[in-house]
Amino acid sequence: MADLAHSQVTAGHDGGTRRDFLILTAGALGGIGAACAIWPFIDSLNPAKDTLALSTTEVDLAPVQAGQRLTVAWRGKPVFIDHRTPEEIKAAQDVDVASLRDPQPDSPLGNKPGDDRGQYGGWFCPCHGSVYDTSGRIRQGPAPLNLIVPPYDFTSDTAIKIG
């Protein structure tokens, strides 16, 4: 009789272990299946390949002479590259930064030729009449902030990668 009771307990215990194993296995497979089903939706949130292609722009600076400006497109926005003369750099560094609306020092981290550059020789925005100096700092007009400087890296002495 004792042997019979012992075999029933053992059989019941084995069944519980098997049931636990099957529940855990089914749950794991269900979780993996859900992850596989959801992955395409998560992956669709990544930027498209054409957007990633526009995320950087490389510019050859060799033909740009002192006092000359280039305008290139980066992420659909204009980026002004200005090869300032030593006089323009000195004038921008001599400005009292505390007097600026958006105070930023001139640190060396365009318009088209003939366009109005404003009274500070930088950029003039005809849309709302804001005037920027040669460092891209707001000097007059309704613009609340300076021109944005995008991330950049010099890939050689005469080339720059924007973005």
Side-chain angles (χ1 to χ4, degrees):
M1 182 88 135
D3 289 333
L4 182 62
H6 178 61
S7 66
Q8 287 176 348
V9 170
T10 304
H13 183 65
D14 287 343
T17 302
R18 188 175 304 132
R19 184 178 306 124
D20 291 343
F21 172 74
L22 291 173
I23 289 172
L24 289 173
T25 304
L29 289 175
I32 291 170
C36 289
I38 291 174
W39 178 252
F41 298 109
I42 293 172
D43 190 43
S44 71
L45 298 175
N46 288 328
K49 291 185 186 209
D50 59 340
T51 303
L52 290 175
L54 294 174
S55 66
T56 61
T57 299
E58 295 201 19
V59 181
D60 181 21
L61 301 175
V64 183
Q65 301 300 315
Q68 192 176 15
R69 292 183 174 170
L70 289 179
T71 303
V72 296
W74 175 66
R75 293 185 179 176
K77 297 178 183 174
V79 175
F80 306 113
I81 300 173
D82 188 9
H83 187 167
R84 297 186 297 174
T85 63
E87 295 81 23
E88 289 176 324
I89 293 171
K90 175 82 171 104
Q93 290 173 340
D94 290 344
V95 170
D96 178 20
V97 176
S99 69
L100 300 174
R101 182 178 309 156
D102 186 13
Q104 286 185 1
D106 176 60
S107 45
L109 292 176
N111 302 2
K112 297 178 185 96
D115 283 355
D116 184 10
R117 292 185 174 196
Q119 104 184 46
Y120 298 99
W123 288 271
F124 173 73
C125 180
C127 302
H128 49 70
S130 292
V131 178
Y132 301 89
D133 66 10
T134 59
S135 290
R137 299 175 295 198
I138 181 69
R139 299 300 294 270
Q140 290 178 338
L145 300 174
N146 299 330
L147 293 176
I148 296 170
V149 178
Y152 64 92
D153 188 29
F154 284 94
T155 56
S156 73
D157 288 343
T158 61
I160 187 170
K161 179 175 144 188
I162 302 171

